[in-house]
Amino acid sequence: MSVDITVETPLSDDVRRLVAALNETALSLTPREFTHHLTVEQMAGPDMTLFVARENGDAVAMGALRRHPGSIGEVKRMYTMPDHQGRGIGGRILAEIEALARREGLGRLVLETGNNFDAALRVYQRDGFRTCGPVLDYPPTPYTAFFEKPLSNGVSA
């Protein structure tokens, strides 16, 4: 079946369900005090663009680009429903995020994730992200992993 990825508002019921599933998954792996969740209202800000993957009209995955000063883009709220994992959907969303960041001339993508989020770690590493020290204002914790990916000149290759 075909999966379509488009830019959407985070304020839809479908996205709210994805965010709730992501938060539940994160809290099953990480103590609450070490999580950095954004609400859908925060995700609707002008500094973020949300990509949603749909199969047969159902939202099955998402990921967002958040822009920061200094030509930095942050990968946020990446999640694929468990029954759709392993099909390359997360990688496709990550490619959309990177392509948008390059079009906008951002110099680097960064992200913070759980160090035990194995599926996410594989997606980021497969896409060329490398581990790094703490990024933005995220503190290092026993539960976090930080990644970065330079975007050479902001122009798509």
Side-chain angles (χ1 to χ4, degrees), residues 23-85:
N23 291 346
E24 182 178 321
T25 298
L27 289 171
S28 74
L29 297 169
T30 307
R32 181 177 299 279
E33 64 269 24
F34 297 109
T35 61
H36 305 283
H37 297 172
L38 292 176
T39 66
V40 293
E41 290 76 18
Q42 291 169 313
M43 292 169 60
D47 62 339
M48 289 191 73
T49 299
L50 177 70
F51 293 91
V52 176
R54 291 183 178 275
E55 183 174 67
N56 296 326
D58 296 324
V60 298
M62 67 178 177
L65 171 65
R66 185 176 202 180
R67 295 145 189 96
H68 292 273
S71 192
I72 297 171
E74 180 184 10
V75 177
K76 291 294 291 180
R77 309 282 29 212
M78 288 286 296
Y79 183 70
T80 302
M81 296 295 288
D83 58 341
H84 284 77
Q85 290 177 3

Side-chain angles (χ1 to χ4, degrees), residues 2 38 42 67 72 74 84-85 105 107 110 118 121 129 137 141 143:
S2 175
L38 292 176
Q42 291 169 313
R67 295 145 189 96
I72 297 171
E74 180 184 10
H84 284 77
Q85 290 177 3
V110 299
D118 295 337
L121 297 174
F129 280 80
D137 60 353
T141 77
Y143 300 95

Side-chain angles (χ1 to χ4, degrees), residues 29-30 111-118 120-121 124 143-145 147:
L29 297 169
T30 307
L111 64 94
E112 177 273 340
T113 190
N115 63 9
N116 58 349
F117 293 17
D118 295 337
L121 297 174
Y124 300 135
Y143 300 95
T144 53
F147 288 87

Side-chain angles (χ1 to χ4, degrees), residues 4 7 11-12 21 37 59-60 71 81 103 128 136 140 154:
D4 298 312
V7 172
L11 300 175
S12 72
H37 297 172
V60 298
S71 192
M81 296 295 288
R103 286 193 305 273
L136 304 169

